[in-house]
Amino acid sequence: MLWDTRKTDALMLGMIALYLCIEVPFSGYLMHLIAAGATQDQISVVERFGRILTGVAIFLAFVGGSLIPYCRFEFPKASEAVGVAVLGALLTVGGTYAALWAIGQYSPLLVSEKALKQSYESVILQNELRERGLGNLKPDLSSASWNAFIATAPVVADSGRTLGMIDNAGELKEREAKRQLGSIEEFRNRFFGQLSPEIERSYSSYRQASDAYLSGVGRIDRDAADEWNKYVHELRRRYPDGVPTVGYTAAGIRNKVRAQIPVSENWHVLDRGSFIAAYRKKARQGIASRSTGLDLPAGLSEAAFWQTTKVQNEIIRQIERDYGFQPNDVVFPDMSPKHFAARVYVPAYAHALEGIRSDKSRDQLEEAHRIATLPAMALLLSLAGAALHVFKGSGYAASLIGLKRYRHYVAGAVLITGIALMSIKGDAITEASVYQVSKAGGVYAQIVEQAVKIQPAFDTFAEMFRSTGIWNQIEGVIATL
């Protein structure tokens, strides 16, 4: 029978094993990402994946607890069973995703203004710890417990006591401003990396118009000489006995020329120099009228193009939009490091520091609260999902080997033994004296601390699932998002 117990147990065990190959390495990946200082956009992508993964965990519970018993006892048609499965997936995965999104989006509304401000300060402190460590705890991205500690520092570390253990804590905001900008060279590369593509596109358009203009101008003298020769040849053909230079005939010749070339009213019909000059003037006007997009002198190098008033005004506009300040002199890629520091880096640093010191908008405080609290929640959800499915997977495995009646006892024993062994192994972070002095109080902080504590052993457990290669494929997909 399709729905006999052994087949369904084997099916569930396979699906749970596949889920664990993704879920167990996932939490370590997220913690490492946060500890390494990934951008909030990068972290948001991974958090969205984590919501989906939590939804999948609930869907698996629905399959084992509801869908399979329904199919086993009700004998629905295949189309009905598929429909129930699809509906269950939409409700569990979609509903979980929406619920977790709502928690992240609206949880800041449930806390006080003071708590939101504390979250902002905690994020700055988290950045300090990420870069400089705490006491004898030094940054170590190869350590699973370090990564989890940094990711959850706003929850597990007491801000006041932690600040008291940091050298020059009064300069914390100044160091944060420098962290935001990076070194002068790092900021320079990022700064021109953002500005240059647009300026280069503008220069490319200008260069096309400039080249067309210069090419046309370069032909003027040759074309003028050709036109003069044609003119003289025609005169000699029409007046073989001599070209009239005065009187009505000369006036007629002059007027005919003036209809095409702007020579003067008293131009001598055999004055080559004035003819050439008039031809050049008209030709240049024609070329200029056809050179759309050329509102700067032709022939500028890219370096000279950068320093024109038009381009500098555009640069100022972009800097104001992206960085919130105006440079105090011209800005171009070839400027010396000293000039870049004076004209751009110092004003950018002052603006960044002012932004850190100033009162924050409600939106900024709410975002800081999410940054401070969501990683800890994600860690706990990931561990809970892994623990639940280790329990369920162990139960299904016990059933398959003939211990169906005792499967819950076996599953419980496996889970409790695993957690006990992980806790016994301990970690270098929560056992350190500086952590014990700086840690926060409260039940939630203690729960998160236990999650940090088991990370070294949990990472060893995760390595077993990473070795299947399934997570490597998932990680590659996430990296492209």
Side-chain angles (χ1 to χ4, degrees):
M1 291 177 59
L2 178 62
W3 299 106
D4 71 72
T5 301
R6 287 189 63 80
K7 288 183 178 180
T8 54
D9 285 350
L11 175 64
M12 287 303 302
L13 181 59
M15 289 192 295
I16 288 172
L18 178 61
Y19 165 81
L20 289 174
C21 286
I22 301 171
E23 175 63 78
V24 174
F26 170 75
S27 63
Y29 174 77
L30 176 59
M31 297 302 104
H32 182 276
L33 197 69
I34 297 171
T39 67
Q40 194 55 36
D41 288 341
Q42 292 172 316
I43 294 171
S44 294
V45 169
V46 180
E47 286 179 340
R48 288 195 291 271
F49 178 80
R51 293 182 207 130
I52 295 173
L53 203 54
T54 303
V56 170
I58 295 176
F59 173 69
L60 289 178
F62 161 76
V63 171
S66 298
L67 180 60
I68 288 178
Y70 165 72
C71 293
R72 180 180 295 154
F73 298 114
E74 299 296 331
F75 302 105
K77 296 179 181 178
S79 59
E80 293 176 353
V82 171
V84 173
V86 171
L87 179 61
L90 290 174
L91 291 176
T92 54
V93 179
T96 301
Y97 186 97
L100 293 177
W101 175 84
I103 291 172
Q105 187 69 21
Y106 299 112
S107 60
L109 303 179
L110 304 177
V111 300
S112 66
E113 188 83 8
K114 179 180 179 181
L116 292 178
K117 291 179 179 178
Q118 287 176 342
S119 291
Y120 181 82
E121 299 295 333
S122 294
V123 171
I124 294 178
L125 179 58
Q126 181 186 37
N127 293 337
E128 177 80 0
L129 296 177
R130 176 186 290 117
E131 181 180 283
R132 304 179 68 191
L134 178 66
N136 61 352
L137 295 177
K138 301 303 179 184
D140 180 8
L141 293 177
S142 65
S143 166
S145 55
W146 168 262
N147 294 338
F149 166 64
I150 290 300
T152 61
V155 172
V156 299
D158 180 271
S159 296
R161 288 198 292 271
T162 304
L163 279 173
M165 303 174 69
I166 292 176
D167 294 336
N168 302 317
E171 300 175 1
L172 198 65
K173 292 181 178 179
E174 286 80 358
R175 292 198 292 273
E176 175 66 16
K178 291 180 179 177
R179 269 192 296 270
Q180 289 181 8
L181 297 184
S183 67
I184 293 178
E185 188 61 27
E186 289 170 342
F187 182 70
R188 180 185 183 122
N189 291 337
R190 188 169 66 251
F191 178 83
F192 284 115
Q194 292 175 334
L195 275 181
S196 294
E198 187 169 340
I199 304 300
E200 287 170 358
R201 285 191 294 269
S202 297
Y203 181 71
S204 178
S205 298
Y206 158 82
R207 182 66 181 270
Q208 290 179 1
S210 173
D211 288 348
Y213 177 83
L214 293 175
S215 177
V217 169
R219 295 193 302 269
I220 288 177
D221 286 349
R222 184 187 64 199
D223 293 345
D226 290 345
E227 195 67 26
W228 171 258
N229 291 335
K230 290 178 184 178
Y231 165 71
V232 171
H233 178 75
E234 179 63 20
L235 285 180
R236 289 174 177 169
R237 187 186 65 79
R238 291 176 59 189
Y239 305 103
D241 297 331
V243 178
T245 57
V246 295
Y248 289 109
T249 303
I253 294 171
R254 183 183 304 111
N255 290 335
K256 186 177 180 180
V257 172
R258 279 173 56 79
Q260 300 296 325
I261 300 171
V263 294
S264 64
E265 294 180 354
N266 58 356
W267 170 68
H268 190 284
V269 297
L270 292 178
D271 180 359
R272 184 181 187 278
S274 296
F275 180 96
I276 296 295
Y279 183 92
R280 286 174 177 162
K281 179 180 179 181
K282 181 179 180 181
R284 285 180 179 274
Q285 290 173 343
I287 292 170
S289 67
R290 294 191 300 272
S291 300
T292 56
L294 188 63
D295 51 359
L296 292 172
L300 294 176
S301 65
E302 187 169 357
F305 179 82
W306 270 83
Q307 298 183 58
T308 60
T309 300
K310 175 189 174 183
V311 175
Q312 286 297 310
N313 287 338
E314 175 62 20
I315 290 172
I316 290 172
R317 185 188 67 78
Q318 289 190 48
I319 292 175
E320 282 188 307
R321 180 194 66 197
D322 298 337
Y323 298 99
F325 71 94
Q326 286 192 5
N328 52 27
D329 208 335
V330 294
V331 174
F332 53 97
D334 294 332
M335 65 196 304
S336 69
K338 179 180 178 181
H339 286 155
F340 178 82
R343 298 174 191 177
V344 180
Y345 188 83
V346 171
Y349 170 79
H351 179 75
L353 183 57
E354 181 183 359
I356 293 169
R357 287 173 171 170
S358 64
D359 291 336
K360 299 293 170 292
S361 68
R362 178 77 188 191
D363 287 345
Q364 289 174 312
L365 293 176
E366 289 180 0
E367 183 61 23
H369 182 77
R370 296 184 189 100
I371 294 171
T373 58
L374 292 185
M377 184 179 74
L379 175 62
L380 295 180
L381 286 174
S382 181
L383 293 177
L388 172 63
H389 285 84
V390 165
F391 176 85
K392 293 179 71 64
S394 299
Y396 286 119
S399 294
L400 287 172
I401 62 174
L403 298 176
K404 182 176 179 61
R405 180 179 298 181
Y406 306 103
R407 65 185 185 280
H408 295 310
Y409 298 105
V410 172
V414 169
L415 181 61
I416 292 171
T417 301
I419 293 174
L421 291 174
M422 289 181 183
S423 299
I424 290 172
K425 181 174 181 179
D427 70 301
I429 299 296
T430 62
E431 295 172 1
S433 59
V434 289
Y435 173 83
Q436 292 298 322
V437 172
S438 66
K439 72 177 184 178
V443 174
Y444 184 63
Q446 291 179 26
I447 293 173
V448 177
E449 178 185 325
Q450 293 306 308
V452 174
K453 184 180 181 66
I454 68 171
Q455 285 306 299
F458 189 79
D459 188 60
T460 302
F461 178 57
E463 188 58 38
M464 177 180 68
F465 291 97
R466 278 194 290 266
S467 66
T468 65
I470 296 174
W471 170 250
N472 292 338
Q473 298 299 317
I474 298 296
E475 185 179 353
V477 172
I478 293 175
T480 64
L481 299 178

